[in-house]
Amino acid sequence: MNLILPTITMAIIISITITIIMPMHTKSMKNKMMMMTLISLIPLNSLLNNKEMTMSSPPIIITPTENIYISLTLDMLSMMFIPIALLITWSISEFSTWYMSSDPNTNKFIKYLLTFLITMLIIISANSMYQLFIGWEAVGIMSFLLINWWHDRSNANTSALQAIIYNRMGDIGLIMTTAWLMTTSSINFQETMALHNMSLIPMIGLLTAAAGKSAQFTMHPWLPSAMEGPTPVSALLHSSTMVVAGIFLLTRLNPLLQNKAIMTMCLILGATTTIFAAASATTQYDIKKIIALSTTSQLGLMMTMIGLNQPSLAFLHMMTHSFFKALLFLCSGSFIHSMNNEQDVRKMGGLLNLSPMTGSFMTIANLSLMGTPFLSGFYSKDTIIETMMNSHTNSWALITTLTATTLSAMYSTRITLLTLTNYPRIKQTLHMESNKTASPMARLAIMSIIAGTMTKLTTLQNTAMITMPLPIKLTAMTATLIGIILSNDYLFFTKHSSPKKSKTLTTFFNQLAFFNIPHRALPMATLKFSQQTSTELMDLWLLEAWGPKGLSNMLKPMIHLSTQQNNLMKNYMLTFIITLMLSLIILMI
C-alpha cells in the first residue's frame, strides 16, 4: 500500500505528459482527464485513515554535501488538492475546445494548459526544495506563455512580462531560503521541519516568495493585468495553479514559520491585501478584472489565516475557492463570447434570458463567493471569520476582514445585477448553450455547492467546536447582507444619473494604488529626468561650450592678436593723437 499510492500520483503525472506529447483528439483528451481525476480519488481513502506516505528514488546526483533525488509526498495537502487540480483542468480544457475553436492552434493551447497542470502537480507533491523550485519556476514560465498567447497584442506582451518580472522579484526570496537550507539544514521537508531551527531571514524569504506568486499587496498589479490572456488561462491561473502556489508553500512549510514577527507580518499583509483588492474591485467595470481582484482579496484572506497560525483553514478556503472562481471565469468567458468580446459590465444586461444555464451557474458562483449558507464558500469563509472572532488578534485585522467581506458581497451583487438582470444594453450575438460549455460549468457548479458539505462530513473536519453568542456567530452573515443591500441601493440610485468626474479615492483604487508608483510615477520621473538631461544640460554643455559661444570664445583672442579693432573709442583717439603728435614733431625737425 505504501508504494501503490505514490505510484498512482507518479502515473498521473506521466499520463498527462504522454497526453501532451502524443497527437491530441478532443474526445480522447476528455476521457483521459476524466480517468485521471477518478484515479486520483483512490489515495483519499488512505487520507481518511490518517496515513501519510512518501516515495523516493535512488540518488540521481551525488555530491559531497547533498544527494539529489526525486521524492514524492502524499499527505493531506497533496492528496486533497491533486483531484481538485485535475477536475478543474479537465473542465477548463473541455471549455477551451469551444472557446478557442476559431484559433488555429487550439491543440497547442490545451497542451500548454496540461503542462501548466503538471508544473502545479510537481509543486503539490514535492518533498524537497529542489523539486518545489523546479515546479515553481515552470509555473511562472507557463503563465508567461499562456498570458502572452495572443502575442500580436502589445497589452498581452506587457502583461506577460509584468507577471514574470513580479514573480522573479518574489523568487529572490525562495532562492535565498533554499540557499540557507542547503548550508544550515536540509532541503528535504521532513528533515527540515524536524530540525525546526529557521531564523527570521529565510522566513522573510518564504513570505516574499509567497507574496510575489500569490499577488499580495505591493506585488498585486500583475494579477489584474494577466486578464489580457484568454479566459480559460485566467480560470486555470486563478483557481488551481500559479496564484495558490504561494499560499500552498506557506501551508506546507508552516511548522517552520513559528515566529511572532513573521506571523504578524503575514497577518498585516493578508488583511491589507484583502481589503485593498476588494475596494479596488468595486471601482472596476471590466468583468474579468473584477473577478481577478476578487481572487487577490481571497488570497489575502488565506494569508490572514496563515498569520493566525491556522494553515488548515487557509487550505480549506483554497480548495472551496478553486471551484467557484474557475466557474466565475468560465461563465464570464461565455458571456464575453456572446457579446463579441465586450467585457464592460455596464454594456451587458438581460443575459439570464439569453443564456439561462450560464446565468444560473454565475449566480451560484457569486453566492458561493459571498459566503451564502450551505454553499461551499460559506464553510471556509464563515469559519475563518469565526476563528478571527475567537483569536487573540487585534481588532484592526478583524474589522478589516469584515469590511472586505462586505465589499466582496457588493462587487458580487453588482456583477450579478448588471450582467443578468434588466434589458440588453448593446446588440448581442446569441449562441446556443452546448454540452461543450454546459458540462464543464455544471461540474464546477455542483462542486461549488457540495464541496464544503463533503469536507464537513469527512474525518478531516477535526476542529474544536467554538461556542459564541448568536450575534457574533451571525457577524459574517450580517456583513454579507449589508454588502448586498448597499450594492443594490447604489445601483438603483446611480443607474440614471449623469456621468461625473471620478473622485480621488475612486481613482486611487481604480488605478490599483501601488500600480502608479512602479508603472507610472517612476517611469515618468525617469523620462523627465532623462529629457532634462538630454535637452537642457546637453544644450548648455554642447551648444554653449562648443557651439556659437565656444566658436566666439576661440576666435576672440586670435582677432585681438591680429588687429587693434577692439571698438574702444578712447584707444582709437589716443592712438590718433599720439600718431599726429609724432608726425608734427618729425615734420618740425
Side-chain angles (χ1 to χ4, degrees):
M1 177 62 79
N2 288 351
L3 284 173
I4 291 170
L5 297 177
T7 307
I8 288 172
T9 308
M10 199 70 188
I12 289 170
I13 295 174
I14 293 166
S15 301
I16 301 171
T17 310
I18 293 168
T19 306
I20 292 166
I21 295 166
M22 298 295 285
M24 185 180 291
H25 301 287
T26 305
K27 193 169 182 180
S28 66
M29 181 273 296
K30 283 174 12 186
N31 293 338
K32 285 175 185 174
M33 289 301 295
M34 180 176 70
M35 284 302 297
M36 282 185 275
T37 305
L38 293 173
I39 291 167
S40 69
L41 295 171
I42 296 170
L44 280 176
N45 184 44
S46 297
L47 174 61
L48 298 178
N49 295 323
N50 296 316
K51 288 183 181 176
E52 293 184 4
M53 289 145 287
T54 58
M55 181 176 73
S56 301
S57 71
I60 297 169
I61 301 171
I62 299 172
T63 66
T65 55
E66 197 86 49
N67 290 340
I68 299 171
Y69 51 87
I70 296 170
S71 180
L72 300 178
T73 180
L74 282 183
D75 58 355
M76 187 201 59
L77 298 177
S78 54
M79 281 196 273
M80 287 292 288
F81 206 72
I82 285 171
I84 292 169
L86 284 163
L87 175 67
I88 290 171
T89 310
W90 167 31
S91 302
I92 291 169
S93 301
E94 190 176 341
F95 181 84
S96 299
T97 57
W98 170 80
Y99 189 85
M100 304 291 287
S101 57
S102 59
D103 195 294
N105 298 314
T106 311
N107 284 350
K108 183 181 174 184
F109 179 77
I110 292 171
K111 286 182 178 184
Y112 276 16
L113 290 182
L114 296 180
T115 311
F116 207 3
L117 169 65
I118 287 179
T119 56
M120 190 61 196
L121 291 181
I122 291 168
I123 292 175
I124 293 166
S125 59
N127 196 31
S128 69
M129 284 300 281
Y130 281 138
Q131 247 173 282
L132 186 135
F133 189 71
I134 291 166
W136 190 270
E137 291 303 312
V139 161
I141 292 163
M142 291 314 301
S143 69
F144 174 81
L145 293 172
L146 284 165
I147 294 166
N148 200 25
W149 180 256
W150 290 319
H151 47 77
D152 291 339
R153 296 163 56 182
S154 60
N155 282 350
N157 301 155
T158 309
S159 301
L161 279 171
Q162 200 174 317
I164 205 160
I165 288 166
Y166 271 101
N167 277 282
R168 292 307 292 164
M169 287 160 62
D171 291 348
I172 294 167
L174 189 69
I175 293 165
M176 183 177 71
T177 306
T178 307
W180 188 90
L181 287 172
M182 286 170 65
T183 52
T184 60
S185 178
S186 169
I187 56 163
N188 185 283
F189 287 155
Q190 274 85 11
E191 293 171 14
T192 304
M193 286 190 265
L195 293 170
H196 215 279
N197 62 345
M198 191 178 273
S199 64
L200 189 62
I201 302 286
M203 287 185 196
I204 292 170
L206 286 175
L207 181 57
T208 308
K213 193 68 79 179
S214 293
Q216 297 299 298
F217 189 64
T218 67
M219 290 197 179
H220 61 277
W222 73 266
L223 199 55
S225 299
M227 296 302 96
E228 290 297 329
T231 306
V233 175
S234 306
L236 193 58
L237 190 82
H238 286 251
S239 56
S240 58
T241 58
M242 187 67 175
V243 294
V244 295
I247 301 296
F248 190 89
L249 174 72
L250 295 184
T251 309
R252 167 77 78 204
L253 299 177
N254 189 257
L256 301 176
L257 300 176
Q258 302 306 312
N259 179 289
K260 282 188 179 180
I262 206 75
M263 287 293 177
T264 307
M265 286 166 72
C266 286
L267 185 68
I268 292 169
L269 186 64
T272 308
T273 304
T274 189
I275 191 168
F276 172 78
S280 296
T282 57
T283 65
Q284 298 288 338
Y285 294 103
D286 185 324
I287 187 167
K288 285 176 73 177
K289 281 197 174 178
I290 296 170
I291 301 170
L293 285 163
S294 160
T295 304
T296 311
S297 181
Q298 301 308 307
L299 290 166
L301 200 59
M302 296 173 208
M303 183 65 84
T304 307
M305 279 298 100
I306 300 285
L308 284 181
N309 201 18
Q310 295 285 343
S312 58
L313 284 181
F315 184 68
L316 175 64
H317 193 52
M318 189 197 301
M319 290 194 301
T320 56
H321 170 262
S322 297
F323 294 115
F324 58 74
K325 189 50 55 82
L327 180 57
L328 269 174
F329 270 113
L330 294 193
C331 292
S332 67
S334 179
F335 288 152
I336 290 164
H337 220 57
S338 297
M339 305 280 294
N340 296 323
N341 299 321
E342 180 56 65
Q343 295 182 200
D344 195 326
V345 288
R346 293 169 295 185
K347 295 180 181 178
M348 298 182 184
L351 289 171
L352 189 61
N353 299 324
L354 297 176
S355 306
M357 195 175 287
T358 310
S360 304
F361 291 150
M362 181 168 243
T363 308
I364 290 167
N366 274 319
L367 288 172
S368 189
L369 172 60
M370 285 189 269
T372 308
F374 312 117
L375 295 179
S376 64
F378 167 76
Y379 287 100
S380 53
K381 206 169 184 180
D382 200 70
T383 314
I384 283 171
I385 292 169
E386 283 180 17
T387 307
M388 290 192 76
M389 287 280 193
N390 292 277
S391 68
H392 292 287
T393 184
N394 54 19
S395 55
W396 171 82
L398 178 61
I399 292 165
T400 304
T401 309
L402 285 172
T403 309
T405 305
T406 305
L407 292 170
S408 298
M410 284 182 71
Y411 61 70
S412 298
T413 307
R414 190 171 67 140
I415 289 176
T416 308
L417 294 177
L418 285 174
T419 56
L420 304 179
T421 61
N422 287 340
Y423 51 87
R425 283 180 275 276
I426 63 168
K427 189 177 179 181
Q428 295 158 347
T429 307
L430 180 65
H431 69 263
M432 297 299 290
E433 292 179 318
S434 63
N435 282 339
K436 285 184 179 179
T437 58
S439 298
M441 288 195 280
R443 281 195 292 274
L444 293 171
I446 290 165
M447 290 307 295
S448 297
I449 296 167
I450 67 169
T453 313
M454 286 167 64
T455 313
K456 189 80 176 172
L457 295 174
T458 62
T459 54
L460 301 171
Q461 191 71 27
N462 55 7
T463 51
M465 289 292 288
I466 302 171
T467 56
M468 62 188 83
L470 187 62
I472 294 176
K473 181 82 174 170
L474 294 173
T475 307
M477 198 66 231
T478 309
T480 303
L481 287 172
I482 290 168
I484 294 168
I485 294 163
L486 285 174
S487 182
N488 191 32
D489 288 352
Y490 179 75
L491 281 174
F492 179 77
F493 284 118
T494 57
K495 193 178 291 180
H496 302 294
S497 62
S498 57
K500 294 177 183 175
K501 189 179 178 182
S502 295
K503 294 179 181 176
T504 308
L505 191 63
T506 307
T507 309
F508 174 80
F509 283 117
N510 186 264
Q511 298 298 325
L512 303 179
F514 271 85
F515 182 87
N516 281 325
I517 294 171
H519 297 278
R520 295 207 178 141
L522 287 177
M524 284 306 294
T526 309
L527 280 171
K528 281 184 178 177
F529 177 74
S530 305
Q531 186 183 27
Q532 188 178 19
T533 306
S534 62
T535 55
E536 294 181 18
L537 296 181
M538 290 294 286
D539 177 65
L540 283 170
W541 178 70
L542 190 63
L543 296 178
E544 297 288 333
W546 297 98
K549 270 196 178 179
L551 192 64
S552 171
N553 292 336
M554 186 174 67
L555 292 175
K556 263 184 184 177
M558 295 169 65
I559 293 167
H560 291 162
L561 284 172
S562 61
T563 180
Q564 289 296 315
Q565 302 296 329
N566 293 329
N567 296 331
L568 300 173
M569 291 304 294
K570 285 182 179 179
N571 291 357
Y572 296 161
M573 289 302 295
L574 183 63
T575 307
F576 176 73
I577 291 166
I578 292 169
T579 308
L580 184 63
M581 290 298 292
L582 286 170
S583 301
L584 287 171
I585 291 166
I586 291 166
L587 286 170
M588 287 173 69
I589 293 170

